[in-house]
Amino acid sequence: MNVQPRARAVASPGDAPAHAIAGIFASELQVPSVGLDENFFDLGGDSLMAETLVLAVQKRFGVKLQTSVLLEAQTPREFGRLIASLVPMHPARELIVPVSGSTGDEPIAMIHGITGSALFANRFSRQLKQKYAIMAVRGMGTEPGETPYSGMAEICSNYFEALTSVTGRHPDIVGGICVGGLLAIEVGRLSHEATGKRPAIVLIDPPSPGSAWLKPMPDDRLTEGRRRNIARKVIYWRLLRDALKTVGLGQTRLGRHLRKKAYKSTLLQAAAGFVPSSYPCDILILASSEWGATTVADYKGWASDKASVKTVVMPGTHNKFRKANMDAIDAEILAFLAERRGAARDVRLNS
């Protein structure tokens, strides 16, 4: 198995915040980039710059610091270790699962589907793993003793904060499989609001915005009757799950099955009928031929002029789509991200 069961520790306690701090160093010193071990004063920093830099770090991490902190932490790596000792670990951090074999520097966050499992990320290719550091996001509620998040705002804000905590930077590339696509769009929106940057969103056979059952169907509207039906399913599966847990059978095969059903019904209730806001972003939609015509039309109708949408339809049913098109999906993701980087580079050269 290529997926770690828990988020592995970063190389050293400050490596995650160090990346964010390096960006603050570069901004305050007005240089293109700063390495993790470059010294603030050797780069030309002075006392006035030190004050604005420390204020920026305080605002970014929500901590209190004195300007003299730069005497003991003069590089982003040293500063990051100091910040790591002051900032508590985000409680949702354990939901972020680094995928074994990922050696790239730029993180891609890939969000789970309706089952909440992170194991789908096991199938990404070596080429993608060499280029990017893949972070799989599993669902809260899939492990014993966990209570699922109950709403889209709660789910997405926790994923966003957890990813930021693990990587030390706001997520710039976010993807999702199935319903994870809707979650990815919202996590990307939070990142855009925090940074003003235009994130890349990769959606693997997502449901249409506003879908009542997260799959195409006639009259796909979330009526009050359908909403009550979903709510009844949530209560039903929770009661069965809790009953088995009470009598000590929560870890039997049936108990695990009921926990999975309870999680799926809760996520369906949270996401059914949800229509994300359109914002400046670049979206790649990889759709199965089973859902493709509906998915493509609905997302093109959803996107405003703030969002660019590229769509690719591949053969196969939704349930077997990822397995049937593994190499093609990874190739499309690599091409999409390379094209995006090239366009950003051209803008910088022409500005």
Side-chain angles (χ1 to χ4, degrees):
M1 190 64 66
N2 270 350
V3 177
Q4 307 288 342
R6 285 285 186 269
R8 62 189 175 214
V10 289
S12 67
D15 279 357
H19 289 287
I21 292 170
I24 296 173
F25 269 44
S27 176
E28 296 303 328
L29 293 165
Q30 297 185 351
V31 295
S33 63
V34 172
L36 297 188
D37 297 306
E38 291 191 84
N39 188 288
F40 174 76
F41 297 104
D42 291 345
L43 292 169
D46 55 28
S47 58
L48 184 60
M49 290 179 182
E51 286 189 23
T52 57
L53 184 145
V54 170
L55 286 173
V57 173
Q58 287 184 152
K59 182 178 179 181
R60 167 65 179 78
F61 292 98
V63 295
K64 290 287 186 181
L65 299 167
Q66 296 182 356
T67 306
S68 58
V69 70
L70 277 167
L71 295 177
E72 60 176 304
Q74 299 182 17
T75 69
R77 193 183 302 279
E78 292 169 342
F79 213 145
R81 289 171 181 165
L82 175 65
I83 294 299
S85 69
L86 299 174
V87 177
M89 184 182 296
H90 193 276
R93 193 179 167 109
E94 282 197 346
L95 303 179
I96 313 303
V97 188
V99 177
S100 177
S102 294
T103 56
D105 292 327
E106 188 172 8
I108 297 182
M110 296 299 299
I111 300 176
H112 61 82
I114 192 67
T115 67
S117 173
L119 295 181
F120 75 94
N122 191 47
R123 296 193 177 100
F124 286 112
S125 68
R126 183 174 62 183
Q127 290 80 4
L128 192 63
K129 292 177 182 177
Q130 287 175 340
K131 192 73 176 177
Y132 298 96
I134 301 174
M135 302 277 177
V137 184
R138 71 169 182 87
M140 171 64 84
T142 58
E143 294 293 326
E146 294 181 347
T147 300
Y149 298 131
S150 59
M152 290 294 281
E154 183 183 21
I155 296 169
C156 296
S157 63
N158 274 283
Y159 289 1
F160 171 73
E161 293 295 343
L163 285 163
T164 301
S165 174
V166 168
T167 64
R169 62 183 84 175
H170 297 308
D172 186 51
I173 306 173
V174 190
I177 188 165
C178 186
V179 67
L182 293 175
L183 303 178
I185 292 174
E186 275 299 282
V187 171
R189 183 182 64 79
L190 294 173
S191 188
H192 169 69
E193 289 182 353
T195 65
K197 296 180 180 179
R198 188 182 183 97
I201 312 296
V202 177
L203 311 183
I204 301 174
D205 214 24
S208 297
S211 173
W213 293 101
L214 307 183
K215 61 182 178 181
M217 56 181 292
D219 187 24
D220 192 13
R221 295 180 299 109
L222 189 60
T223 63
E224 283 304 312
R226 287 173 174 170
R227 193 184 300 275
R228 287 193 297 271
N229 191 6
I230 293 172
R232 283 194 293 267
K233 288 180 181 291
V234 171
I235 295 170
Y236 174 75
W237 291 115
R238 280 181 182 171
L239 288 174
L240 290 180
R241 176 202 64 189
D242 293 345
L244 256 68
K245 181 180 177 182
T246 300
V247 298
L249 298 177
Q251 289 308 300
T252 63
R253 184 174 181 178
L254 178 58
R256 294 194 300 271
H257 174 73
L258 294 179
R259 187 172 70 240
K260 184 176 180 180
K261 296 290 285 188
Y263 175 83
K264 289 173 66 174
S265 62
T266 301
L267 184 56
L268 172 62
Q269 184 180 44
F274 176 73
V275 180
S277 299
S278 184
Y279 59 92
C281 61
D282 301 309
I283 298 179
L284 170 65
I285 298 177
L286 303 165
S288 67
S289 55
E290 180 184 24
W291 288 13
T294 300
T295 302
V296 168
D298 288 350
Y299 273 97
K300 285 187 174 179
W302 163 83
S304 69
D305 56 2
K306 299 176 182 178
S308 69
V309 179
K310 177 182 178 181
T311 60
V312 179
V313 178
M314 299 180 184
T317 62
H318 175 72
N319 289 338
K320 297 181 179 179
F321 176 65
R322 181 74 183 94
K323 185 177 181 180
N325 297 281
M326 290 185 341
D327 293 338
I329 287 172
D330 289 355
E332 290 289 350
I333 293 172
L334 286 166
F336 168 71
L337 295 176
E339 182 180 347
R340 185 171 178 268
R341 284 197 308 274
R345 184 171 58 249
D346 291 344
V347 169
R348 289 195 300 269
L349 290 175
N350 293 329
S351 60

